[in-house]
Amino acid sequence: MINVYKSEIRKLFRVKFIFISLLIVLGLESLFSSLLFWKAKGPLVTDLSKSSGIVFSFRSIAPFLGIITLCIFASNTAQEFLQGTLKNLLVREPNRTKLIVGKILALSSFVSLLITICSIWGVTLSYSLAPMARVSTSKWSLFSLNFYSVLLNVLISSIAYGLIGAVLALIMKSSVSAISAGIIWILVIETLFGFLGKSITKWLPGSNLANFGDGGSKELSYLHSFGVVGIYVGVGLTLMVTIFNKRDVAN
């Protein structure tokens, strides 16, 4: 498994791939932070001046970071089928469980690094843009519990998004189909379910992942989302290992 992990990490840290990935997440954070502080007025300024204001912008883009992670996991999982490299990987590591677990661990490490860099960039932007919006930073601290708890929540929710993408990629053998299905479900179908009532949405993956990354809400508790996300992650991992072990790679 260690060799699989190292091999996957080497592939993920290609200069072009990591540059594009960083450009996307840092560009997203830059855009949202700029708009947030530019339009900050009244109650929003008060919220930003609290100790949690240091990660306000970063926490707000958590669902988008999750979708980006879903795309990264799906594309890297499906490309082994599309490029025909899965057979070669199985020759080097015939234990399929070790192969898929090593790949997921490598992808999780890569995404964790991206999101951590994004969070630090978000804090840097917040400090630099705060004077423009007349936001007080006296209660902000990079060493506060707020920063690390939000970072951990966003990391866990993003990796859970990624597992959804990986499962879809294993089922469909296509990154385009997997990404399309994941985004349509999260952004369209769950929104339609939302019109039917909160009793349905509180059990759906997208709603709970977004709520978990945001630290919970009045309508949906953090512990509820933690439990639901945990169930989906467990089911996702089981499906992933089962499908990958049963998948025919001869054709």
Side-chain angles (χ1 to χ4, degrees):
M1 185 186 299
I2 295 176
N3 290 331
V4 174
Y5 178 85
K6 290 180 179 179
S7 174
E8 190 69 23
I9 282 290
R10 190 178 296 112
K11 181 175 67 175
L12 290 169
F13 277 86
R14 290 171 298 176
V15 175
K16 184 178 179 180
F17 184 73
I18 194 170
F19 176 77
I20 293 174
S21 301
L22 279 171
L23 187 63
I24 292 172
V25 296
L26 297 184
L28 177 65
E29 177 63 41
S30 300
L31 177 62
F32 189 83
S33 295
S34 300
L35 293 174
L36 175 67
F37 284 92
W38 182 41
K39 293 292 185 179
K41 293 180 181 178
L44 181 55
V45 173
T46 303
D47 289 337
L48 289 171
S49 299
K50 296 178 181 178
S51 59
S52 58
I54 190 173
V55 286
F56 192 96
S57 62
F58 170 68
R59 184 179 61 188
S60 299
I61 66 168
F64 300 103
L65 293 175
I67 291 174
I68 292 171
T69 303
L70 184 150
C71 296
I72 292 174
F73 271 63
S75 61
N76 278 273
T77 303
Q79 74 177 3
E80 307 297 357
F81 294 100
L82 298 174
Q83 297 177 357
T85 55
L86 184 57
K87 296 178 185 178
N88 297 329
L89 292 175
L90 289 172
V91 170
R92 298 293 299 273
E93 178 49 80
N95 189 317
R96 295 193 180 193
T97 300
K98 289 183 178 180
L99 181 60
I100 191 63
V101 171
K103 175 180 278 291
I104 294 302
L105 288 176
L107 286 166
S108 300
S109 300
F110 177 77
V111 167
S112 297
L113 178 62
L114 281 182
I115 293 176
T116 301
I117 293 173
C118 181
S119 67
I120 296 172
W121 177 243
V123 169
T124 303
L125 284 175
S126 296
Y127 269 108
S128 61
L129 295 172
M132 177 184 69
R134 297 182 179 179
V135 172
S136 172
T137 61
S138 59
K139 295 182 180 179
W140 292 6
S141 174
L142 189 60
F143 303 100
S144 67
L145 183 61
N146 280 313
F147 174 76
Y148 293 103
S149 61
V150 169
L151 176 59
L152 182 61
N153 290 339
V154 175
L155 284 175
I156 294 174
S157 64
S158 295
I159 292 172
Y161 273 106
L163 291 175
I164 293 174
V167 171
L168 291 173
L170 285 175
I171 294 172
M172 300 179 177
K173 290 186 178 181
S174 167
S175 57
V176 175
S177 299
I179 292 170
S180 299
I183 292 177
I184 289 172
W185 174 268
I186 292 169
L187 298 183
V188 179
I189 297 178
E190 288 204 12
T191 302
L192 295 176
F193 274 121
F195 292 112
L196 300 178
K198 295 180 180 178
S199 59
I200 298 176
T201 57
K202 72 178 185 178
W203 299 107
L204 298 177
S207 301
N208 281 280
L209 285 170
N211 187 65
F212 181 80
D214 197 38
S217 63
K218 294 181 180 179
E219 295 79 15
L220 205 58
S221 71
Y222 176 83
L223 289 177
H224 172 85
S225 291
F226 179 81
V228 174
V229 168
I231 292 172
Y232 276 112
V233 168
V235 172
L237 286 171
T238 303
L239 278 174
M240 190 182 307
V241 173
T242 302
I243 293 172
F244 192 68
N245 277 310
K246 300 296 182 181
R247 176 66 73 189
D248 177 25
V249 297
N251 299 311

